[in-house]
Amino acid sequence: MKAVSQASVRAAGPNYRHEVTTGAHRLIADEPAHAGGQDAGAAPYDLVLAGLGACTAITLRMYAERKGWDLGDLRVDLTLLKDRDGNARIDRVLATSAPLSDEQWERLLDIAGKTPVTKTLQAGTPIGTTREAAGAGQQ
């Protein structure tokens, strides 16, 4: 397999505040105050939704450009819902400021269901976890 993305997360402050590094980018992840954090950054599920929303918007913009469609301002709104048993669902709503035909909307909705991050989340990607040898990551 080929690596397509990489991130590193390190403690960066009180409670649950962590710094996320991916490529040349840094951001802060935290939990909201009601969950014991400082609300200094996006919560983990917020980051999952942000990745899905960004992938959706970018993919749809690329598709529309290839087709010569003007989407105007494209917005992707996402909500993660969970029930008491832990079953989850993501609701995704697309909006554009430009008028589109029913056929264009049908195609965009179809493409949204096929974006790379959508397919990865829907596939239930396996996650392997190992540990680093003591002292290997320290300098």
Side-chain angles (χ1 to χ4, degrees):
M1 290 186 161
K2 173 185 165 190
V4 296
S5 185
Q6 194 169 9
S8 180
V9 181
R10 290 188 164 88
N15 299 350
Y16 306 123
R17 181 186 165 120
H18 284 74
E19 182 179 87
V20 179
T21 304
T22 179
H25 308 284
R26 288 197 164 99
L27 57 128
I28 299 297
D30 198 359
E31 288 289 343
H34 70 79
Q38 301 286 313
D39 202 21
Y45 278 129
D46 298 334
L47 294 170
V48 170
L49 292 181
L52 175 60
C55 183
T56 302
I58 291 167
T59 302
L60 294 180
R61 180 75 60 197
M62 288 175 169
Y63 182 81
E65 285 176 359
R66 281 196 302 273
K67 292 292 189 178
W69 298 351
D70 175 21
L71 300 180
D73 292 326
L74 171 64
R75 192 179 76 242
V76 180
D77 293 325
L78 300 117
T79 304
L80 176 69
L81 304 153
K82 287 182 105 178
D83 66 18
R84 291 182 209 188
D85 297 326
N87 299 309
R89 179 182 88 227
I90 295 172
D91 287 344
R92 176 171 47 192
V93 179
L94 309 177
T96 64
S97 63
L100 299 173
S101 70
D102 288 342
E103 293 79 19
Q104 287 172 311
W105 270 115
E106 186 176 317
R107 190 65 187 132
L108 290 177
L109 292 169
D110 181 54
I111 296 296
K114 297 176 182 175
T115 67
V117 173
T118 298
K119 289 167 69 172
T120 298
L121 290 172
Q122 288 176 333
T125 303
I127 300 171
T129 306
T130 60
R131 64 172 275 212
E132 183 175 86
Q138 300 175 5
Q139 296 181 3

